[in-house]
Amino acid sequence: MKLQSKKAPRLGVLLLVLLMLATLIPSVFAADAPAETSAPEETMVALGEAPEVVAAPEATEKAGDAPAGEVLTTGTEEAASDEWTCKVCSTVNEGGDACKKCGASRPTTVLSIIALVVLAVVIAIGFIKKVNLGFLAIGAAFILSMVAGIGPKYVTKAFDSDMFVTLVGVTFLFGMASQNGTLDLFSKKVVALVGKRTVLIPILMFFLSAFISAIGPGHIAAGILMTTFAVYLAFEMKINPITTALFAKLGANAGCASPLSLTGQLGLKLTNNLVSDVTNADIVERLGFSGLHFFMATLVSGFIFTLLLYVFTKSYKVKADNPLKLKDIPRFNWKQWVTIGAIVMMVVLCIGFQMNTGLTAFVMASILVLLQCADEKKAIKGIPWGTLVFICGVGVLVSVIDMMGGIDMISGLLQKLMGPSTATPVLAATSGILSWVSSTTGVVMPAMFKMLPNILRSFGTSVNYMELISAITATSFAAAISPLSTGGAIIMSSYSASKETTNEEMNKIFKFLFLLSVANVLLNVLLSWIGVFRLGGLF
């Protein structure tokens, strides 16, 4: 079924690409333009008169200490240093157009623009053609590396194997919990506890989805599970299925930044990459990561919009019978109890004892496999391989673009648009716009986190790292309820799978969801402006 015209999204992507080019091209000429110098001032000296010499203050003060015959200088005559640090191997070079160690080209304006244009083209192709950006990004990264003289080993090293193992382990464990019915049965029991207080169903959908997302599955898996369940429940209760599913998806997005979930793990990993980069040694103490702050900021953002939506849609007036009764819902079987125990154990070990999340998840999943608590083959098929390749593949491309100086160029352009008081809202707005045509975890976070060291240097202690990354992530997820993103698409597909629909009806839903995503982005920009993502310094 054709849900909406493809011309508008394609036009939007084209305009985005043109906008990027329009802002980048002028910098080519600005970077290579010779600096204006004033002509040397000629001084007429009268014949027979000695010229009057005015010494600089520092030179005058030190004149008495200078050895005889030594020429004093103020330092203005010293030749400017041509040192540059290779962003590939971190080697400090004295001039030259290529690194003396790895052979990578010195970043130039032209190379940076080429890298950014390739990124824009890759995003546009992925959006229009609906192909997995991960594979496309790795291929594009290799081509760019040849242009910039970056060795293949540095490209493959950019593939984050640690993150890949973590994501596979967590998604495999919760894939088993989903496959054996544990998560679905748990959701039904929680909703049944509401009883006749059905006015609480929308808020319950939010917190239940947030909880499931936070303990490990992440926003995509929890979103699919809970939006499908929400649509089914709404039809049974004869209430609006779109808004009910929307509350569920908002919750899945809001809870996904926990230390156990995909986004929280990604935020930690990206921060660690910044810390380990030797070029950031001067600000390493300001790159501290608080998993609790990251999680709470995203949760607060999602909950504020949920409350506004709850009032706007008049969901507080819902009066319907709850079709789920505790007495009619079966009990957990022994396999499901073992699964619950494995999940609880993982949470305790990872949060209480700071054990590696991915490897711990593999241990728990192995126990479930040995006890045959779920169908192993179905659980493996349930791992979102495409999403994992997407995240890690785009990470490779972003790393190569950073090596070519592209990230520094974007951060420089953004710094011209912001000041210490506007840095957070400008970054929030940028992330929201990018999220309409790309993935939060695959594109927005990896690209924008790399810009932050330069911004921290420019504005000093006036900006806070945790506030910046919280605003970027929360606003990007605010845009993710758009039907152009995975979140909105999940809502529409769940709805269309539950009843017969028409093109006109689906187009109305498309417009409704997109306008809500715009409102959500604007709300988060406002929250960024007033300092909500600082969370009062509590975490």
Side-chain angles (χ1 to χ4, degrees):
M1 178 183 293
K2 185 177 180 181
L3 301 183
Q4 69 278 338
S5 171
K6 295 182 180 179
K7 293 182 179 179
R10 290 184 180 182
L11 180 60
V13 174
L14 179 60
L15 290 175
L16 178 65
V17 174
L18 291 176
L19 179 62
M20 291 181 66
L21 292 177
T23 55
L24 292 174
I25 289 176
S27 61
V28 177
F29 305 102
D32 299 325
E36 295 184 2
T37 56
S38 57
E41 184 179 355
E42 297 181 3
T43 305
M44 298 291 294
V45 181
L47 184 62
E49 294 181 5
E52 181 180 358
V53 178
V54 180
E58 293 181 4
T60 304
E61 292 173 4
K62 297 181 180 179
D65 299 328
E70 182 175 332
V71 179
L72 298 177
T73 63
T74 62
T76 57
E77 301 170 12
E78 294 179 1
S81 174
D82 194 29
E83 278 190 2
W84 61 281
T85 302
C86 176
K87 297 181 75 65
V88 178
C89 64
S90 302
T91 300
V92 178
N93 296 275
E94 291 287 348
D97 294 328
C99 177
K100 61 186 179 183
K101 180 179 180 181
C102 68
S105 299
R106 182 176 185 172
T108 63
T109 302
V110 174
L111 280 179
S112 300
I113 290 178
I114 291 174
L116 293 174
V117 169
V118 169
L119 175 62
V121 171
V122 167
I123 292 175
I125 292 174
F127 180 77
I128 295 172
K129 296 296 184 181
K130 305 299 181 185
V131 296
N132 190 310
L133 276 187
F135 297 105
L136 191 62
I138 293 175
F142 180 53
I143 294 174
L144 281 177
S145 70
M146 291 190 290
V147 172
I150 300 171
K153 69 176 182 179
Y154 294 104
V155 178
T156 54
K157 189 184 295 185
F159 188 93
D160 199 330
S161 57
D162 289 342
M163 185 188 302
F164 188 79
V165 169
T166 297
L167 299 181
V168 171
V170 172
T171 53
F172 180 50
L173 174 61
F174 284 92
M176 298 182 75
S178 178
Q179 193 276 323
N180 66 13
T182 302
L183 296 180
D184 182 59
L185 186 57
F186 173 79
S187 301
K188 289 180 178 179
K189 286 182 176 292
V190 172
V191 172
L193 291 174
V194 174
K196 296 181 179 180
R197 298 179 293 275
T198 52
V199 70
L200 298 176
I201 290 292
I203 301 298
L204 179 63
M205 284 289 104
F206 173 85
F207 281 109
L208 182 57
S209 295
F211 173 75
I212 292 177
S213 177
I215 60 175
H219 63 287
I220 295 178
I224 293 173
L225 172 70
M226 291 306 300
T227 51
T228 304
F229 173 64
V231 169
Y232 154 78
L233 183 65
F235 277 122
E236 289 291 324
M237 297 176 62
K238 295 181 174 56
I239 60 177
N240 191 323
I242 293 298
T243 54
T244 308
L246 190 56
F247 286 123
K249 190 65 184 79
L250 285 169
N253 288 353
C256 71
S258 82
L260 295 175
S261 196
L262 182 151
T263 306
Q265 289 289 314
L266 178 61
L268 175 61
K269 184 63 181 178
L270 293 175
T271 301
N272 287 339
N273 290 343
L274 295 179
V275 171
S276 61
D277 188 341
V278 295
T279 61
N280 296 328
D282 57 321
I283 57 167
V284 68
E285 73 281 353
R286 298 180 58 199
L287 296 173
F289 182 83
S290 168
L292 183 57
H293 185 125
F294 196 50
F295 171 54
M296 290 302 299
T298 309
L299 185 65
V300 168
S301 164
F303 183 60
I304 290 174
F305 186 76
T306 297
L307 285 179
L308 294 175
L309 184 65
Y310 184 73
V311 175
F312 175 74
T313 58
K314 298 181 179 180
S315 297
Y316 54 86
K317 293 184 178 180
V318 169
K319 293 182 180 180
D321 292 329
N322 190 342
L324 298 176
K325 314 294 182 184
L326 274 176
K327 63 180 181 179
D328 299 330
I329 300 175
R331 298 180 177 181
F332 290 113
N333 58 40
W334 72 269
K335 293 182 179 180
Q336 292 167 335
W337 275 118
V338 172
T339 303
I340 292 173
I343 293 173
V344 171
M345 182 63 68
M346 187 195 77
V347 172
V348 171
L349 291 175
C350 293
I351 295 181
F353 297 91
Q354 302 297 310
M355 295 187 69
N356 183 282
T357 303
L359 297 179
T360 304
F362 267 114
V363 172
M364 297 304 158
S366 300
I367 294 174
L368 297 184
V369 169
L370 292 175
L371 296 177
Q372 297 183 338
C373 292
D375 190 320
E376 176 190 353
K377 293 182 179 180
K378 290 183 179 180
I380 292 175
K381 289 181 179 179
I383 296 174
W385 296 109
T387 300
L388 304 188
V389 172
F390 188 115
I391 294 172
C392 296
V394 174
V396 173
L397 177 58
V398 170
S399 294
V400 172
I401 291 173
D402 183 40
M403 295 174 192
M404 296 174 67
I407 300 300
D408 289 341
M409 174 173 281
I410 292 181
S411 62
L413 291 172
L414 286 177
Q415 286 173 45
K416 295 178 181 179
L417 301 174
M418 64 177 73
S421 61
T422 58
T424 307
V426 168
L427 290 174
T430 304
S431 67
I433 294 171
L434 285 176
S435 186
W436 278 324
V437 293
S438 59
S439 165
T440 297
T441 52
V443 177
V444 179
M445 289 176 64
M448 297 201 67
F449 275 42
K450 281 185 174 291
M451 301 179 193
L452 300 184
N454 287 339
I455 293 173
L456 290 174
R457 290 188 187 96
S458 296
F459 302 126
T461 56
S462 299
V463 293
N464 177 271
Y465 177 73
M466 280 308 306
E467 181 183 6
L468 294 178
I469 66 171
S470 298
I472 289 170
T473 306
T475 310
S476 186
F477 274 116
I481 59 173
S482 160
L484 300 176
S485 301
T486 305
I490 290 173
I491 295 174
M492 294 184 71
S493 61
S494 297
Y495 179 78
S496 60
S498 302
K499 62 166 291 190
E500 289 292 329
T501 58
T502 63
N503 282 338
E504 182 180 1
E505 182 182 12
M506 296 306 289
N507 283 330
K508 286 182 178 179
I509 296 174
F510 181 95
K511 181 180 179 181
F512 174 70
L513 291 176
F514 185 76
L515 290 177
L516 279 181
S517 74
V518 173
N520 203 0
V521 168
L522 293 176
L523 171 66
N524 277 267
V525 172
L526 176 62
L527 296 178
S528 302
W529 191 287
I530 61 178
V532 170
F533 291 111
R534 199 175 296 116
L535 298 183
L538 296 175
F539 305 102

